[in-house]
Amino acid sequence: MSFIELGLSEAIARAVTEHGYTIPTPIQTQAIPAVLAGGDLLAGAQTGTGKTAGFTLPILHRLSAAAANSATSARPIRALILTPTRELAAQVEESVRTYGKYVKLTSTVIFGGVGINPQIKLLKHGVDILVATPGRLLDHMQQGTVDLSKIEILVLDEADRMLDMGFIKDIRRILAALPKKRQNLLFSATFSDEIKTLADGLLNAPAMIEVARRNSTVEIIAQKIHPVDRDRKHPLLTHLIKTNQWSQVLVFTRTKHGANKLVEQLGKDSITALAIHGNKSQSARTRALAEFKDGSLQVLVATDIAARGIDIDQLPHVVNYDLPNIPEDYVHRIGRTGRAGATGEAVSLVCVDEHEMLKDIEKLIKRTLPKEIIAGFEPDPNARAQPIQLRSGNGNGNGGGRGRPQGRTAVAKSRPAPAAQPHGPAKTFGGNGTSRPSAPRRSGGRGR
Ligand code: AMP
């Protein structure tokens, strides 16, 4: 099946082919004809499946096939794509530009953390496709600098993550400003009751598609555990990077403070590293990501939310310096490597404090991860588990918001129900009575 056979115009298929893709991914094979048909869509797919092109390509096709339905001379915004994070917004808009190379449509991206005035100028000029994070879009709505009254197509990308990040009210306010008659596309990796409620109110007789979750296709990613003592993780990471000559490594830490500290430590080992997390300015994050992508930065250290949606082709190494406190985040993290068919490697440095977390992860992915002790870094067999610091006292953690909603269930039926989310009594960790707090994992308005 080719992109042309899916019903896309020659101009769009040519841009995709020039970008190096000739065979549509499963989500694209299903989503493209569904969106081209003009109806609403509910899609279960997570990042790494090719979902962005799955909605971008048919939107470009539909908008370029039909002239704007506007009597005014200014170019009205005809498609609105909402994403949870700034990074994802930027990447989606980059895709719109790439695939829209040969069609006469314009796009722009608006998100917080950068000046609003240049955005106002761009919006005034008029664009066909707007990619935005909810907070900044609301700012524009309040200032009257964006007109959403001619929206023909709405996309909620990574809707589950948007709700997790506390954007539901913002989304509802945005929805209220849109014309009633429009095409709605909702993409989500998981389907909680909250998402179902949102979908029920938003979608009209939607086509429903789903592709296998990453955790059922992670076979292409080699995964390994390196048991190690808590205070030996940093020397072990340096050892792994140096002996294996890893040149591009994405490292995950649990807290922003942990990310900063690790960057400093790696710097002392002459390893170039930068951190991206919610306390970094947007320009610092963009610069770190750009340097990491172009190969000038060896190590990018990220917290879970900051890394969400990062799209780096063929990222070879992902390291879990700390295991995530939400098992599903493990799957999101390792999904950064081995994307769209490429092979990758994900290693986790696990200390005694994290054994319960590891068990939860193995339960979720339905497999026991192979363990390899690195000579010189053997863990102390008598070490006792200590409480896990999920947040730094000064708000340096990822938290700060409401807890993740209950009852998240996956799209794929093969996936087991996730471990109970800590809403009621906190789950015990580390076998020593340490409790996981009520999942405070928002990043304080990252989309704004
Ligand atoms: P996404 O799920 O949209 O974040 O895309 C995941 C990765 O797959 C990105 O690096 C895309 O550029 C890449 N990709 C998208 N479509 C295809 C395709 N048809 N063939 C190969 N790679 C693709």
Side-chain angles (χ1 to χ4, degrees), residues 165-241:
M165 290 171 74
F167 287 136
I168 185 66
K169 274 196 185 146
D170 291 356
I171 290 171
R172 293 206 181 279
R173 284 165 67 193
I174 293 165
L175 294 181
L178 304 181
K180 294 255 171 322
K181 193 174 165 298
R182 57 170 201 265
Q183 183 177 19
N184 300 292
L185 318 175
L186 188 150
F187 285 76
S188 189
T190 55
F191 283 83
S192 63
D193 291 346
E194 211 182 354
I195 284 280
K196 283 187 204 135
T197 309
L198 178 69
D200 283 349
L202 178 72
L203 306 173
N204 181 19
M208 299 218 254
I209 60 176
E210 62 180 71
V211 295
R213 280 183 60 84
R214 265 230 89 94
N215 53 337
S216 57
T217 58
V218 287
E219 288 72 24
I220 53 168
I221 304 167
Q223 300 167 69
K224 225 188 285 178
I225 301 293
H226 293 311
V228 62
D229 283 335
R230 179 186 315 113
D231 56 1
R232 297 277 290 150
K233 283 190 176 186
H234 152 240
L236 173 57
L237 178 61
T238 295
H239 171 83
L240 289 172
I241 292 173

Side-chain angles (χ1 to χ4, degrees), residues 3 16 19-25 27-28 46-55 57 88 91 95 99 157-158 214 309-314 336 339-341:
F3 285 99
V16 180
H19 195 58
Y21 306 145
T22 44
I23 302 163
T25 65
I27 186 82
Q28 291 161 3
Q46 60 180 218
T47 185
T49 53
K51 68 178 168 60
T52 312
F55 60 79
L57 300 176
L88 186 59
Q91 282 170 10
S95 296
Y99 303 137
D157 190 17
E158 303 201 355
R214 265 230 89 94
I310 289 181
D311 176 15
I312 301 152
D313 274 344
Q314 311 206 331
R336 309 295 92 210
R339 314 195 80 197

Side-chain angles (χ1 to χ4, degrees), residues 381-392:
N382 300 317
R384 301 265 309 264
Q386 282 185 12
I388 288 174
Q389 276 288 320
L390 294 182
R391 288 210 282 166
S392 318

Side-chain angles (χ1 to χ4, degrees), residues 77-110:
I77 302 168
R78 301 172 62 197
L80 172 65
I81 302 168
L82 289 178
T83 75
T85 67
R86 300 164 183 174
E87 283 79 8
L88 186 59
Q91 282 170 10
V92 168
E93 204 252 343
E94 204 180 302
S95 296
V96 172
R97 281 174 194 262
T98 304
Y99 303 137
K101 199 168 152 191
Y102 299 116
V103 296
K104 284 198 186 78
L105 293 169
T106 58
S107 62
T108 196
V109 59
I110 58 172

